[in-house]
Amino acid sequence: MEDPHIKNNNYNEQQVYSWVGGDPVCAKTFRSKLERSQSLAFIPGGVHEILLMDPAKPSDILMYLNTRKSSIKMDLEYGAPIVPVFIFHLDGSYDWWFPRENKFLVGLSRKIGFVPLLFTGRFGIPFFIPKPKQLHLVCGRAIDVPLMPSTKTSQEELQASVDKYHALFCEEMLNLYDRHKEEAGYAHRKLLVV
């Protein structure tokens, strides 16, 4: 059964991301890669994270992780380690605008699985290449997880482990950010896990 938190039903969006080598963000894709012991990377925030961004608070960096546990569950089912990664300066690659006060668009965004926002990149051209930025990617320590196949593990035991490793992941994301924020020029900015 696919998890609605990592499901993307938008055909056009899937086509665009497939042009740059992306795969659909769905349980089927994740399981297929994990079964072949392939690594995968994804951005878990999605629509919720975009809708929470506040242009009046540019120093806040939001990570919508508190309810994003499906990937942790799959990591446990396959015994795949979790590697926290953070990219500094990615947030300045585009300027964006979304009518936050428009309840219809907010509801539509949640229904269709993406936010129809206007973003501009280099030279202020809408939907163009990003602004030139020196990105700073940092990787945290790998979090090894036990192999807990769902067919051989009780739901209570699996859920307790999901909660435990999700908390470790969130903690490591915050620690990773704090360890590298000064060297990346982000000492004045705050990372919030929501």
Side-chain angles (χ1 to χ4, degrees):
M1 179 173 169
E2 291 188 353
D3 187 316
H5 291 112
I6 57 173
K7 188 173 180 181
N8 181 347
N9 288 323
N10 187 289
Y11 177 77
N12 292 330
E13 188 177 352
Q14 286 179 6
Q15 292 304 309
V16 170
Y17 285 116
S18 72
W19 299 338
V20 294
D23 291 318
V25 180
C26 64
K28 181 179 176 184
T29 299
F30 282 32
R31 289 186 194 290
S32 171
K33 289 190 175 294
L34 289 169
E35 285 168 1
R36 295 182 303 214
S37 297
Q38 293 180 332
S39 296
L40 59 106
F42 69 102
I43 301 169
V47 171
H48 296 287
E49 192 170 273
I50 292 171
L51 294 175
L52 290 171
M53 292 189 316
D54 187 351
K57 297 179 181 178
S59 64
D60 288 352
I61 300 169
L62 301 177
M63 294 191 75
Y64 189 77
L65 292 177
N66 281 340
T67 59
R68 300 293 201 216
K69 298 182 180 185
S70 301
S71 62
I72 305 293
K73 182 179 178 183
M74 281 188 257
D75 291 331
L76 286 163
E77 290 174 356
Y78 290 92
I82 304 162
V83 182
V85 174
F86 190 87
I87 304 173
F88 290 93
H89 303 290
L90 191 61
D91 57 324
S93 299
Y94 289 98
D95 292 320
W96 58 274
W97 178 81
F98 177 77
R100 298 168 50 86
E101 57 283 339
N102 187 317
K103 290 183 181 182
F104 171 75
L105 283 178
V106 170
L108 177 67
S109 298
R110 288 193 171 117
K111 182 150 183 77
I112 63 177
F114 74 98
V115 179
L117 55 85
L118 173 65
F119 62 93
T120 58
R122 196 168 193 177
F123 312 118
I125 300 173
F127 312 110
F128 197 53
I129 59 173
K131 296 175 187 177
K133 295 294 239 174
Q134 184 70 37
L135 302 180
H136 185 89
L137 183 138
V138 293
C139 296
R141 65 172 180 80
I143 300 168
D144 290 319
V145 300
L147 175 63
M148 300 180 75
S150 58
T151 57
K152 298 179 182 177
T153 309
S154 73
Q155 284 302 312
E156 295 80 21
E157 184 182 2
L158 184 58
Q159 189 58 51
S161 292
V162 167
D163 292 341
K164 172 186 173 181
Y165 287 101
H166 178 264
L168 284 172
F169 171 67
C170 290
E171 180 181 337
E172 181 57 24
M173 285 300 298
L174 290 167
N175 291 338
L176 179 64
Y177 178 83
D178 286 340
R179 282 194 305 270
H180 296 278
K181 67 182 179 182
E182 287 190 33
E183 70 191 60
Y186 273 48
H188 66 288
R189 301 192 67 187
K190 189 162 127 184
L191 177 63
L192 305 170
V193 174
V194 295

